[in-house]
Structures are given as C-alpha cells and as structure tokens.
Amino acid sequence: MKILKVDHIGIAVKNLEESARFYEMLGIQSTGSEVVAEQNVKVSFFPVGDSEIELLESTSPDGPIARYIEKNGEGIQHLALRVDNIEAALEELKAKGVRLIDEKPRYGAGGAKIAFVHPKSTGGILLELSQRED
Ligand code: ZN
C-alpha cells in the first residue's frame, strides 16, 4: 500500500452555496458541483495546492451527511488519503485487522474509487481511501 497524498478534507455543510462563499472569498475557485446519488450528497471541490476541500450537502434528510450534522453539527467529516491501488490497500488493511466500512471500493465524486475505514480503527477519524487517475 502506498499513500500518495492527502487527497481532500470532507466538510459537512447544511447549504453548499452558502458555505462555498467563504472559500470563494479566500480566492479558491470551485471545480463545480456534482450529485452522488448513491450517497445522497451533493459535493463541490475546491482545489488547494495538491489537495482539495470537499463540501458535502445532504440531498436527503436521512442521508449520511444529514445524520452527521444532526449529531455533530457542521464541520470536518472525513479525511481522504490518495492511494495507488485501493483494492490492494483494502486487502492489506483487512489483513492487519483494521475495521473497514467498505470492503470493496465504490465510485465517488469524479469517478474516483473510494472506500471508508471505520473511526474505531483510526483514532476517531472517518478515513476515506481514494484512487483516481489525474
Ligand atoms: Zn470525500
């Protein structure tokens, strides 16, 4: 398993357009927004250097982001690390006894292959592994 970089930091927000204004004020331009139907979220990415900030707004009152905000309020929801081979990374973590939320990768925003690792195994952080070509 090779970790390539911090891919992005995911931030749960109630209103994507309102929250985007802050980052736009900082001079960061969004690359556009996208609905990921499977996860009931609308996301928008703000590139910063070699990483990105991902804003996530729920598209359903019982989606994972809506439930997160209900419990914790708005804020940082996950950390995403880019890996070179997500299937190999998941196999390796599983063999090491790490608790996975996704045993197999699924497709996230921008067609990236993603999988989540359980906070119980990461010291309280919802960790996303991501693989994409760019
Ligand atoms: Zn993410």
Side-chain angles (χ1 to χ4, degrees):
M1 170 173 53
K2 190 167 179 215
I3 306 290
L4 302 174
K5 65 174 187 173
V6 172
D7 190 77
H8 63 269
I9 292 165
I11 301 175
V13 301
K14 288 180 183 165
N15 184 310
L16 200 65
E17 275 174 37
E18 256 175 45
S19 297
R21 273 189 223 126
F22 174 73
Y23 298 95
E24 285 158 5
M25 185 191 72
L26 298 179
I28 311 169
Q29 293 304 316
S30 166
T31 52
S33 58
E34 180 187 343
V35 170
V36 184
E38 191 199 329
Q39 290 165 63
N40 294 311
V41 288
K42 187 175 160 194
V43 304
S44 191
F45 283 93
F46 292 81
V48 181
D50 205 27
S51 299
E52 294 182 288
I53 292 165
E54 175 186 36
L55 299 185
L56 305 109
E57 176 192 314
S58 189
T59 54
S60 150
D62 60 354
I65 293 300
R67 289 201 308 269
Y68 179 86
I69 290 175
E70 203 172 298
K71 204 172 156 197
N72 307 286
E74 294 178 290
I76 293 178
Q77 194 254 350
H78 66 271
L79 168 68
L81 297 177
R82 174 92 56 105
V83 295
D84 61 342
N85 182 329
I86 195 166
E87 285 87 359
L90 290 171
E91 282 306 312
E92 189 177 330
L93 291 175
K94 199 175 162 186
K96 288 177 174 168
V98 172
R99 189 164 155 196
L100 304 174
I101 293 173
D102 301 303
E103 302 225 336
K104 299 260 177 266
R106 47 196 163 108
Y107 286 94
K113 283 197 222 174
I114 65 165
F116 285 96
V117 180
H118 201 283
K120 283 242 153 66
S121 287
T122 64
I125 293 164
L126 177 60
L127 180 67
E128 175 185 337
L129 299 178
S130 149
Q131 180 190 352
R132 72 171 116 183
E133 323 300 330
D134 67 3

